[in-house]
Amino acid sequence: MPRTPRLSAQPVHGRQRVLLVDDHALMRESIASWIDRSADLEVCGSADSAVSALLLVTELHPDILVTDLSMPDGSGFTLIKRARDLQPDLPILVLSMHNRALYEAKALQAGAVGYCMKGDGAEVLVASIRQILSRPRPYPRPHP
């Protein structure tokens, strides 16, 4: 049975809000279950496309965006740039199966502030989210 996405514009008990973007429902649901187990984090929404993600960025104002690079309606790099245009202080963490050596620099240049491999595991992802959220803002704008 498909899971209905939770949409929450307000944090629950001070938890920081994470917006997940991945075109695979199983990945979104698995990641969400790990994040929601944390006392300090919650998934406020999820999207399966760049277009849906940008709408949710505007609507929900998440504390962090966690996104894959491969999407059916466009590049994750374009999503990163457009999300930062909509919410300049939004930290973006890329979670990808694509080789870090080939894609991390390009993701950071687009405006992401971190890069995790899907093979790293859920504990590494959650720790990376916390580390990014603990950094002072604003995040520097990428160079054109």
Side-chain angles (χ1 to χ4, degrees), residues 68-134:
D68 191 4
L69 291 176
S70 301
M71 282 177 238
D73 63 345
S75 161
F77 300 111
T78 303
L79 168 60
I80 294 166
K81 290 174 186 175
R82 293 183 65 201
R84 288 292 302 270
D85 287 343
L86 291 172
Q87 192 175 332
D89 287 342
L90 177 65
I92 300 171
L93 174 62
V94 171
L95 177 63
S96 181
M97 67 174 188
H98 296 294
N99 186 305
R100 173 174 285 162
L102 298 174
Y103 291 92
E104 181 176 28
K106 189 174 178 182
L108 296 175
Q109 188 174 33
V113 296
Y115 194 97
C116 282
M117 298 289 300
K118 287 182 177 178
D120 290 341
E123 294 89 359
V124 171
L125 173 64
V126 171
S128 297
I129 291 170
R130 286 185 179 123
Q131 181 183 30
I132 289 168
L133 288 170
S134 71

Side-chain angles (χ1 to χ4, degrees), residues 23-35:
D23 59 330
H24 296 99
L26 185 59
M27 282 301 300
R28 289 190 313 273
E29 291 170 11
S30 176
I31 295 165
S33 84
W34 274 95
I35 291 171

Side-chain angles (χ1 to χ4, degrees), residues 42-90:
E42 69 172 333
V43 174
C44 64
S46 65
D48 62 359
S49 69
V51 170
S52 297
L54 291 169
L55 291 171
L56 290 177
V57 165
T58 303
E59 180 181 332
L60 300 176
H61 300 283
D63 296 306
I64 188 168
L65 171 65
V66 176
T67 185
D68 191 4
L69 291 176
S70 301
M71 282 177 238
D73 63 345
S75 161
F77 300 111
T78 303
L79 168 60
I80 294 166
K81 290 174 186 175
R82 293 183 65 201
R84 288 292 302 270
D85 287 343
L86 291 172
Q87 192 175 332
D89 287 342
L90 177 65

Side-chain angles (χ1 to χ4, degrees), residues 109 139 143:
Q109 188 174 33
Y139 298 102
H143 299 347

